[in-house]
Amino acid sequence: MNFSSRLLENAVNEFSRLPGVGQKTALRLVLHLLNEPQADVERFSHALTSLRNNIRFCQVCHNISDLPVCEICSNVKRDKSVICIVEDTRDVMAVENTNQYHAVYHVLGGLISPMDGIGPSDLNIETLVERVKTGDIKEVILALSATMEGDTTIFYIYKRLKDLQVQVSTIARGIAFGGELEYVDEITLGRSIATRVPYGISEK
Amino acid sequence: MNFSSRLLENAVNEFSRLPGVGQKTALRLVLHLLNEPQADVERFSHALTSLRNNIRFCQVCHNISDLPVCEICSNVKRDKSVICIVEDTRDVMAVENTNQYHAVYHVLGGLISPMDGIGPSDLNIETLVERVKTGDIKEVILALSATMEGDTTIFYIYKRLKDLQVQVSTIARGIAFGGELEYVDEITLGRSIATRVPYGISEK
């Protein structure tokens, strides 16, 4: 692109480094900000730097939190004997939105991915093992993405936990509720058939 | 959405004020920035505030420019007797990318839109009339969007210029090159037939 201004070009380049934002979208966003009051743009960029500079993570579950221990971990109504293991804070929000889970979390901060150079030591796995060893944990639920990286991470965590007298489970995989069979991909459908459940038992 | 951190919530809310960015996308972008080095986030937000605070517009054509007079207006090879009128800097870039236009521009900074409370006095129209009156301008090309606002603006500018001994033209409208007839909307196709051109003359 042929920019008439270095300042404009800088701003567009910075925006287009974001995932899923190309140069055209970046230009549209930058021109939108140009039409906003100066104070709004200041507030926008302050919100970003202040988040990045002051971000803190819960000491227990590693979820993003303004307090040393997050609201979920410090909630006395939450069952502390079950830990749901997720990749990042988005997944905590997704599980919370189901309103089906009333125990606590452990945020790994990523998945094991040798291709991206992310090994077990880059993730919050040691603290998980420590939690299971020292706490009164009955069950660990692995709620990770059904990808190669997710499966690798599940296998690694399972190996680390299997001698610790804790039940390790993974969330169910299969066709989505409301999903039409003809649109389901072959792998999911194949696995759904292979891991079929007796009717009635699944409806507890 | 149920955020675990006020800082996170602020950043997501600021991002989701951008056009076409919902809360989920905003969260994805914010979490991406959280994983970036602190210096990168500083640079990102500095690029935005510095653009907004130091933005300057060409004194002649009102395009975004770091110099008092932009590179196009100060280029001696450009034909100064033809002015292409566009809505904003994106349209200047679009016309420049065609490599078909070697004269100068005039950026209106918007289109007349009574619905949004934008009248002629909010746009750079007076300076255009002044340029045509005082300069040696032969032709003014209206390259505005084919929308209601574009048509209104074209009509207004035409009325202001029609007594000034200058040729006013608009860019051709019709079916796109490479466009298949069956996918063209009825209005465009109807207007294309009504404004048909003799074959051979259009191929000059």
Side-chain angles (χ1 to χ4, degrees), chain A residues 69-134:
Chain A
V69 174
C70 76
E71 282 176 23
I72 293 174
C73 288
S74 57
N75 187 339
V76 290
K77 287 187 186 155
R78 292 267 179 168
D79 179 1
K80 303 290 190 305
S81 69
V82 178
I83 302 179
C84 178
I85 299 177
V86 293
E87 181 182 345
D88 62 21
T89 193
R90 258 180 303 183
D91 300 333
V92 173
M93 288 161 87
V95 177
E96 282 297 290
N97 281 340
T98 65
N99 283 322
Q100 298 286 315
Y101 184 72
H102 307 290
V104 292
Y105 296 90
H106 191 89
V107 178
L108 294 177
L111 295 174
I112 295 173
S113 171
M115 294 285 280
D116 302 314
I118 302 172
S121 59
D122 299 313
L123 308 177
N124 302 317
I125 293 179
E126 287 313 314
T127 50
L128 170 69
V129 175
E130 209 52 41
R131 269 178 94 176
V132 175
K133 269 184 189 160
T134 55

Side-chain angles (χ1 to χ4, degrees), chain B:
Chain B
M1 265 195 226
N2 218 342
F3 293 98
S4 57
S5 148
R6 181 81 53 92
L7 288 168
L8 180 68
E9 186 171 1
N10 277 349
V12 169
N13 285 342
E14 288 295 333
F15 249 115
S16 59
R17 290 162 52 96
L18 294 174
V21 179
Q23 284 231 310
K24 281 207 169 182
T25 308
L27 181 60
R28 191 163 54 90
L29 297 177
V30 168
L31 291 179
H32 170 84
L33 284 176
L34 264 185
N35 286 329
E36 294 282 289
Q38 210 156 318
D40 283 18
V41 178
E42 293 279 0
R43 212 183 50 226
F44 177 83
S45 76
H46 179 74
L48 295 185
T49 46
S50 119
L51 172 70
R52 184 65 190 81
N53 296 344
N54 304 318
I55 188 73
R56 286 163 71 181
F57 297 93
C58 171
Q59 289 164 2
V60 181
C61 73
H62 305 288
N63 193 12
I64 295 172
S65 167
D66 293 339
L67 303 163
V69 174
C70 75
E71 282 176 24
I72 293 174
C73 288
S74 56
N75 186 340
V76 290
K77 286 188 185 153
R78 292 268 178 168
D79 180 1
K80 303 288 191 305
S81 68
V82 178
I83 301 178
C84 178
I85 299 176
V86 292
E87 183 182 344
D88 63 20
T89 193
R90 259 180 302 183
D91 301 332
V92 173
M93 288 162 87
V95 176
E96 283 296 291
N97 281 339
T98 66
N99 283 323
Q100 299 286 315
Y101 184 72
H102 308 289
V104 292
Y105 295 90
H106 191 90
V107 178
L108 294 178
L111 295 174
I112 296 172
S113 171
M115 294 284 280
D116 303 314
I118 302 174
S121 60
D122 298 313
L123 308 176
N124 302 317
I125 293 180
E126 287 313 314
T127 50
L128 170 69
V129 175
E130 209 53 38
R131 269 179 94 176
V132 174
K133 268 184 189 161
T134 54
D136 188 17
I137 312 296
K138 286 199 210 95
E139 185 178 1
V140 156
I141 303 170
L142 291 151
L144 302 180
S145 296
T147 57
M148 183 112 87
E149 290 79 16
D151 284 343
T152 309
T153 312
I154 288 174
F155 184 65
Y156 180 84
I157 292 178
Y158 170 71
K159 275 207 311 185
R160 293 293 305 269
L161 298 181
K162 74 177 189 315
D163 299 330
L164 292 180
Q165 249 100 57
V166 63
Q167 160 136 32
V168 178
S169 47
T170 70
I171 54 171
R173 294 177 181 178
I175 64 166
F177 285 90
E180 298 209 32
L181 222 61
E182 60 185 298
Y183 299 119
V184 176
D185 66 286
E186 303 80 18
I187 296 174
T188 302
L189 190 53
R191 293 276 295 260
S192 282
I193 293 169
T195 60
R196 65 194 176 277
V197 286
Y199 189 72
I201 291 180
S202 69
E203 300 276 319
K204 63 174 173 182

